[in-house]
């Protein structure tokens, strides 16, 4: 297999272990090329070029955000995409059954098989694990600002939570249309899951609708500022709140709008990236598949 690894060298494992990529590339075989990428890289053009040169697999080496960007550019292509676990959480690769050691995952992919899957899209942007709007994206935005000034320290991360809560407008008034059913809600956070693995990890329901190519949408309850603070601290610890603190909406077709019909953009987070997306938000499954390379299932012994 002639593999091209698109490497975000600033992601978790890449930044900590400069040799991890080299070991992974060696595990894939001799015909392997590592191509560095950054936020300004035109991935679609780069992938076109590499496939024209004969690439038989395009592999993302970074975190979930890098995998999401590569997946967006790989939708509908015949050449398969694969992902190496080089980020911090690697929910997507863990959900596929890949080892968390990059070189072991590469060996699994070398002998892997392909599968066509559909991925979630929010206003046309692909995402693999989750999307959210409300207080969580605001916390991420504030945290980056504080990190740039004071460095990456835990106390700084918690201060970003407190500061965001103090400045928060508290609850959003939204109209959510889920498979034609309209929900009028007030909430500080909407969390839309597409990773059954992540839901299982947090002990949450909703994996059934994900397996049916739908979205598990969690509408969080928080009526007082202290509720919001507890919620934010839970999210900062990368956990989800208890079941009584949210409502789960299962849907295959989802639209989220401001209650007053405003077209004010939503600050949205998806797979670790942030963007201001125009209202209303439209969540659909991709029309074309993503061909993904996964570990080969062991053959069952003959009876």
């Amino acid at each position: 297999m002639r593999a091209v690894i698109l490497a975000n060298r600033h992601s978790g494992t890449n930044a900590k272990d400069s040799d991890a990529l080299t070991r992974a590339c060696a595990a894939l075989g001799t015909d392997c090329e590592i191509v560095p990428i950054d936020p300004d890289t035109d991935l679609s053009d780069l992938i076109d070029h590499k496939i024209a040169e004969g690439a038989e697999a395009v592999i993302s080496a970074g975190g979930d955000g890098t995998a999401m960007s590569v997946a967006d550019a790989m939708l509908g292509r015949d050449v398969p995409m694969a992902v190496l676990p080089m980020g911090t959480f690697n929910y997507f690769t863990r959900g596929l059954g890949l080892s968390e050691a990059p070189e072991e995952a590469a060996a699994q992919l070398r002998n892997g098989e392909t599968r066509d899957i559909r991925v979630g899209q929010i206003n046309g942007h692909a995402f693999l694990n989750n999307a959210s709007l409300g207080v969580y994206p605001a916390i991420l935005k504030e945290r980056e600002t504080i990190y740039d000034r004071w460095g990456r320290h835990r106390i700084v991360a918690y201060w970003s939570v407190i500061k965001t809560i103090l400045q928060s407008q508290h609850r959003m008034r939204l109209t959510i249309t889920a498979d034609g059913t309209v929900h009028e809600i007030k909430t500080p956070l909407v969390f839309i899951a597409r990773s059954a693995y992540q839901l299982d990890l947090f002990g949450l329901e909703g994996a059934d609708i994900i397996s049916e190519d739908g979205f598990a949408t969690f509408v969080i309850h928080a009526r007082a500022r202290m509720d919001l603070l507890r919620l934010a601290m839970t999210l900062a610890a990368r956990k989800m709140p208890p079941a009584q603190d949210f409502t789960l909406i299962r849907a295959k077709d989802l639209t989220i709008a401001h209650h007053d019909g405003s077209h004010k953009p939503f600050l949205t987070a998806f797979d670790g990236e942030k963007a201001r997306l125009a209202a209303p938000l439209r969540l659909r499954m991709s029309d074309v598949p993503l061909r993904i390379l996964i570990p080969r299932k062991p053959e069952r012994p003959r009876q």
Side-chain angles (χ1 to χ4, degrees):
M1 179 176 64
R2 184 176 180 184
V4 173
I5 299 177
L6 305 183
N8 175 3
R9 294 190 179 274
H10 299 292
S11 63
T13 304
N14 289 336
K16 296 174 184 176
D17 183 354
S18 58
D19 293 330
L21 265 180
T22 303
R23 297 195 303 272
C25 199
L28 282 165
T30 56
D31 203 0
C32 172
E33 178 186 8
I34 299 172
V35 179
I37 60 173
D38 58 44
D40 295 325
T41 300
D42 185 332
L43 288 175
S44 184
D45 184 65
L46 174 61
I47 291 168
D48 283 342
H49 180 67
K50 291 302 175 183
I51 290 176
E53 289 184 340
E56 297 173 299
V58 175
I59 301 177
S60 166
D64 289 325
T66 304
M68 174 196 69
S69 297
V70 174
D72 205 18
M74 288 294 293
L75 281 173
R77 296 180 186 267
D78 293 330
V79 170
M81 169 190 170
V83 183
L84 289 175
M86 309 291 280
T88 303
F89 297 101
N90 304 310
Y91 289 128
F92 187 64
T93 55
R94 289 157 72 183
L96 294 176
L98 287 164
S99 168
E100 292 190 64
E103 60 269 34
E104 292 177 9
Q108 290 175 287
L109 293 172
R110 181 179 180 180
N111 299 303
E113 59 186 12
T114 60
R115 177 189 300 172
D116 285 352
I117 64 171
R118 296 173 70 203
V119 302
Q121 292 182 305
I122 181 168
N123 285 17
H125 300 275
F127 68 99
L128 302 174
N129 296 306
N130 59 70
S132 62
L133 58 146
V135 68
Y136 185 57
I139 289 171
L140 294 181
K141 183 174 184 294
E142 183 62 31
R143 181 179 297 175
E144 286 187 0
T145 300
I146 295 177
Y147 276 169
D148 288 343
R149 183 172 182 182
W150 301 104
R152 293 178 175 269
H153 306 289
R154 179 170 295 183
I155 189 65
V156 172
Y158 284 115
W159 169 242
S160 70
V161 172
I162 295 170
K163 184 176 180 182
T164 303
I165 297 305
L166 292 175
Q167 296 176 341
S168 172
Q169 296 297 315
H170 196 25
R171 293 192 291 171
M172 302 174 290
R173 296 189 66 191
L174 302 173
T175 299
I176 297 181
T177 305
D179 290 343
T181 300
V182 177
H183 304 263
E184 302 289 350
I185 63 169
K186 289 183 180 181
T187 179
L189 172 67
V190 177
F191 181 88
I192 304 129
R194 270 297 305 157
S195 168
Y197 175 86
Q198 190 176 21
L199 294 186
D200 290 341
L201 190 66
F202 290 128
L204 296 172
E205 297 180 9
D208 55 335
I209 186 62
I210 290 174
S211 68
E212 296 168 2
D213 278 345
F215 302 97
T217 303
F218 297 85
V219 178
I220 306 300
H221 309 151
R223 292 175 175 81
R225 197 166 291 275
M226 283 305 298
D227 294 334
L228 189 57
L229 183 58
R230 282 192 293 270
L231 166 66
M233 298 303 282
T234 301
L235 295 172
R238 302 287 181 174
K239 298 178 181 179
M240 285 294 287
Q244 66 269 20
D245 291 344
F246 61 81
T247 296
L248 171 60
I249 299 173
R250 292 174 168 87
K252 294 185 176 183
D253 190 290
L254 198 67
T255 300
I256 303 175
H258 293 289
H259 178 71
D260 62 4
S262 165
H263 293 287
K264 179 181 177 182
F266 285 108
L267 177 61
T268 311
F270 40 99
D271 289 354
E273 303 298 318
K274 298 181 304 302
R276 291 194 178 275
L277 301 181
L281 299 177
R282 294 182 173 88
L283 291 103
R284 310 286 186 269
M285 297 302 294
S286 61
D287 292 328
V288 294
L290 174 67
R291 181 156 294 175
I292 193 79
L293 188 62
I294 60 174
R296 187 176 298 276
K297 293 181 179 179
E299 293 185 6
R300 294 181 180 179
R302 294 181 179 179
Q303 299 295 326

